[in-house]
Every structure is written in structure tokens, then in C-alpha cells.
Amino acid sequence: MPLVSARSAAGAAGPQVDSVLVDLARARSADMATRSYFSHYTPEGGTFFDLLGRYQVPYLYAGETIARNNYADDQAPSVAAEAFLDSPPHRAVILDPQYNSVGVGQAIGTDRMHYYTVILVRR
């Protein structure tokens, strides 16, 4: 996985996959795909911080990165990972060594647009 390799190359340990964060990341991606928006804010103004609070996820520090593309199913994940690493703000979140838990979600809209969400937290 390119993101794990990039963290390793940067000297950051790989975060542990957390099933609750996976569920939240999937929910964020599904919401964007279903309602056809692409933003860190829902149409109502909510954020992933609201989800963390609603599901009582403890954290000291948290970050979210999102991506979307309409590449073929077999190319879309790697294109999203490359986009994260090519964007300085997203790269900074992905490579930040203080994060120790992660959840990744993907959803595909009816228009075949792929939505990706990565939620990282420090516990």
C-alpha cells in the first residue's frame, strides 16, 4: 500500500487499523457519494469531529483526508493514494507520526465517482 510505504520511508510507524474509524470513514465516503458533494463539511456543516464525538471515539489529535476520482475501479485507489501524497497538506496528515490509529473508507456514487476518506487519530 503506497500510504504505508510512504509513512515507513518518512520514519513514521504504521497506525493500527481501528474498526470504529473504518466504519466512520466508510460512512463519510458513503455520505458524499450518496449526496453528491465533496467536502470536509457535510451540507449541514457537520465534520468528522462531530462523528468522533457522536460515537464517543477518544482522541488527543485527529485528522481527515478525502479524495475523489472517476478512474476505473482497478485504478481508483492508487490514484487517490498518489493524490494524497502529491498534495502537501494531505501528505502532512498522512505522514504525521503522532497518529496511531486509522480508518479508511471508500464509496462509489451512482455516477461511478469514487470517494475516499482517511481518518487518523492519536489516542
Side-chain angles (χ1 to χ4, degrees):
M1 172 182 226
L3 300 180
V4 173
S5 299
R7 281 184 64 92
S8 179
Q16 295 295 312
V17 175
D18 180 292
S19 62
V20 173
L21 295 180
V22 169
D23 289 345
L24 297 181
R26 286 178 177 165
R28 287 277 297 130
S29 292
D31 189 50
M32 288 186 283
T34 301
R35 300 200 295 162
S36 299
Y37 72 93
F38 180 65
S39 175
H40 290 286
Y41 296 91
T42 67
E44 298 78 28
T47 69
F48 83 102
F49 289 110
D50 299 320
L51 284 175
L52 293 174
R54 187 175 314 132
Y55 288 89
Q56 300 178 346
V57 175
Y59 67 92
L60 299 172
Y61 195 75
E64 175 191 61
T65 61
I66 59 175
R68 74 175 175 177
N69 67 60
N70 61 354
Y71 281 80
D73 291 353
D74 64 337
Q75 297 173 325
S78 61
V79 169
E82 289 173 25
F84 286 142
L85 295 174
D86 287 345
S87 163
H90 291 98
R91 183 180 186 85
V93 171
I94 296 292
L95 300 184
D96 192 327
Q98 70 183 326
Y99 294 122
N100 57 15
S101 298
V102 66
V104 179
Q106 177 203 21
I108 303 172
T110 57
D111 59 358
R112 302 302 302 159
M113 186 68 73
H114 297 254
Y115 293 82
Y116 296 91
T117 304
V118 179
I119 297 176
L120 294 132
V121 302
R122 170 80 181 173
R123 301 229 169 152

